[in-house]
Every structure is written in C-alpha cells, then in structure tokens.
Amino acid sequence: MSLAVKRRRRDDGTIEEGIPVKTADGKEVLVIPTIHELEDFVTSTGDPKGGGEDAAWEEIARLRRDCKQISNEKVDVAQQTYNKVERIVKRLEEDMTSLEALLKVSINSIARQRFEVAVVELTEMFRIAFVLSSPLPNQEQGEFQVAGGAKPNDLAAIQVNTNNPNDWILAKVITHDSETGMFKLSDEDTESNKIFHLPESQVVILGGLERLSKGDIIYAVYPDTTSFYQATVVQVPRKVSGGSSFVTVHFIDDGDEHGITHDKAVLMKHVMRVPYGATIVNT
C-alpha cells in the first residue's frame, strides 16, 4: 500500500478522506492521505511487506532523512551560488575602482599636455609682442653700441628709405656728432661710393648682440650682400678661431627649387633685432 492511494469506498460505504490529485497522465485520481489515515496506516495496517509498526516508522525516518539531505544539498548549492556571485561583484567593484583611477590619470595627463601647449603658445605670443613693441632704434642702440658710443669704422645698419621700414643695409661709421645726433656713414657695398648723413633714428650700431635663442626672429645680412633680411635662428651663436662669432639662421623665402631652406651662417656683427616698425612675416 502506498501513501498516495486511489480514492475508494470503505467497507462501511463512506468515501476515503484525503486530497484527490490527478496523476501526470491525467487518467487516475490519487488521494494524498490525511494525518489520521497515516496514523491508521502505521498503527493498524503496518508495512505491507510484513515488517509491522517498527518497519513503518523506519520507512518514515528514512524518508525524513532523504528529505533533509535533499534540503541540505539545496542550501549548499544556494550558498555556493551566493559566494560565487559575491566574488564576481567584488571583482567588478575592484575593476571599476581601477578604471576610475585610470580615467583620472588620463584626464590629468591630457590636461597637463594642454597646459604645456598653452604655455608654449603664450610664450610665443609674449615674444612676438615684445618684438613688436621694441623701442625706437635710437632708444635701443644701447644693446648694439660698443662701449663709449659710436666710433669711426663701427659697423651699422642704416635705413636709407624711411618709407620702407623693412629696408636696411650695412654701412660703416665715419663720424658721429653726439650733440646733433647726426651720423656720417659710408656704404659697405664695395661697388658703391655712397656717403649717407642720417639721424640716430635711422642708425643701429652693430656688434653688441650676443644672446640669441633658437627660434628668435632677427634681421641679418644675407651672405655676399650688404642687405638685411628677416631670419630665424636655428642654432645659437658659436665662436670660431680668431674670436669671431657666428649664428646659423634660415632666411625668409630662401627655399630652393625643392622647397628646402638651407642653413646660412652669419657673423654676429652682421645681425640685429627686428627694427622698430618692420613687418614680421610669419614662416
């Protein structure tokens, strides 16, 4: 006799108690016995195999142990699942923390790079502003004059045509009247015998410029000529045998047929700062 039996009539004609349920195939209706019927099954009916009441209690105990074992197994599986999920969540939190730190470092690095670029651009702007705001030639002669003021045979840059602030040529001092500020100079072009009488505002005494940095924009005498042109310093001044110094520059618009601008070496006594009013051409 199983604990779930078919619904049937008792000997006295009454219907068995219990909860009727259908089998999986839906063809039979089984009855789950009530507590009273279970007690009757244990105390009166006993084990159908002849084991009696003790055998029935043992069967119930076995079933209880089986249920408890299955229950414990489910609890263990649930606990293992929980622990695994907890480890995954912890790892995700660690990864998120690492990613957040990495993003902060990246943002700081980008900000630092932008700051450095801004500093370079700002420095260049100040340098250009300084050049554009340089004082008049007669005010800046202190940088170019040798000690004791202009003397005969001193080299000078002169502006012959005041209508063209970019037009400067190389000349040599003959005399200088400190009271009137007038210069008498000769053209350094060997094929010219010109003599110029010019005020201090159109004369810059050369030879005192020593400190130049790479990237500085200057005016320099183009090799084998006596004319000054805008140039950019590509190598700081160096001394050569004999005590003379020269600077390496790139002259503006001096590219060859392939567009390559070659280095030119110019004596330091043939260079000057960009004169006041001259137009700087960006390269």
Side-chain angles (χ1 to χ4, degrees), residues 169-197:
I169 63 173
L170 187 64
K172 183 178 291 185
V173 176
I174 298 175
T175 60
H176 174 231
D177 189 336
S178 58
E179 293 184 1
T180 62
M182 293 297 296
F183 280 90
K184 182 180 179 181
L185 309 104
S186 62
D187 192 344
E188 275 292 275
D189 187 347
T190 56
E191 298 180 358
S192 171
N193 295 318
K194 291 182 180 179
I195 300 296
F196 304 98
H197 296 271

Side-chain angles (χ1 to χ4, degrees), residues 116-162:
E116 291 174 354
V117 171
V119 169
V120 172
E121 293 178 349
L122 199 59
T123 301
E124 180 65 13
M125 289 174 61
F126 275 117
R127 189 184 66 79
I128 294 175
F130 174 78
V131 171
L132 293 177
S133 61
S134 298
L136 290 170
N138 62 331
Q139 293 176 316
E140 65 178 3
Q141 285 178 6
E143 183 178 8
F144 297 95
Q145 284 182 321
V146 295
K151 301 186 298 294
N153 295 322
D154 282 348
L155 291 177
I158 62 174
Q159 183 184 29
V160 179
N161 183 7
T162 56

Side-chain angles (χ1 to χ4, degrees), residues 235-247:
Q235 191 174 44
V236 296
R238 291 186 297 175
K239 286 188 177 182
V240 295
S241 59
S244 299
S245 299
F246 71 93
V247 61

Side-chain angles (χ1 to χ4, degrees), residues 88-276:
I88 294 174
V89 170
K90 186 177 180 180
R91 185 181 302 171
L92 286 174
E93 290 177 349
E94 293 174 352
D95 291 345
M96 289 293 292
T97 302
S98 300
L99 180 60
E100 183 178 2
L102 181 62
L103 287 175
K104 287 182 179 179
V105 171
S106 300
I107 292 173
N108 291 337
S109 177
I110 293 172
R112 190 183 304 109
Q113 292 176 359
R114 291 182 176 177
F115 174 76
E116 291 174 354
V117 171
V119 169
V120 172
E121 293 178 349
L122 199 59
T123 301
E124 180 65 13
M125 289 174 61
F126 275 117
R127 189 184 66 79
I128 294 175
F130 174 78
V131 171
L132 293 177
S133 61
S134 298
L136 290 170
N138 62 331
Q139 293 176 316
E140 65 178 3
Q141 285 178 6
E143 183 178 8
F144 297 95
Q145 284 182 321
V146 295
K151 301 186 298 294
N153 295 322
D154 282 348
L155 291 177
I158 62 174
Q159 183 184 29
V160 179
N161 183 7
T162 56
N163 294 324
N164 187 355
N166 298 326
D167 187 10
W168 291 76
I169 63 173
L170 187 64
K172 183 178 291 185
V173 176
I174 298 175
T175 60
H176 174 231
D177 189 336
S178 58
E179 293 184 1
T180 62
M182 293 297 296
F183 280 90
K184 182 180 179 181
L185 309 104
S186 62
D187 192 344
E188 275 292 275
D189 187 347
T190 56
E191 298 180 358
S192 171
N193 295 318
K194 291 182 180 179
I195 300 296
F196 304 98
H197 296 271
L198 300 172
E200 291 180 344
S201 61
Q202 294 175 240
V203 178
V204 175
I205 302 300
L206 304 175
L209 183 60
E210 296 181 356
R211 296 180 181 178
L212 288 175
S213 301
K214 184 177 180 180
D216 284 350
I217 297 177
I218 59 174
Y219 262 45
V221 176
Y222 194 87
D224 300 325
T225 74
T226 57
S227 299
F228 285 83
Y229 295 94
Q230 179 182 320
T232 301
V233 176
V234 295
Q235 191 174 44
V236 296
R238 291 186 297 175
K239 286 188 177 182
V240 295
S241 59
S244 299
S245 299
F246 71 93
V247 61
T248 305
V249 302
H250 281 175
F251 282 97
I252 190 172
D253 298 331
D254 193 34
D256 58 18
E257 64 274 14
H258 303 292
I260 300 175
T261 301
H262 297 280
D263 296 349
K264 295 287 193 306
V266 181
L267 291 172
M268 286 297 294
K269 63 181 181 179
H270 289 167
V271 302
M272 67 175 178
R273 296 287 185 186
V274 178
Y276 177 79

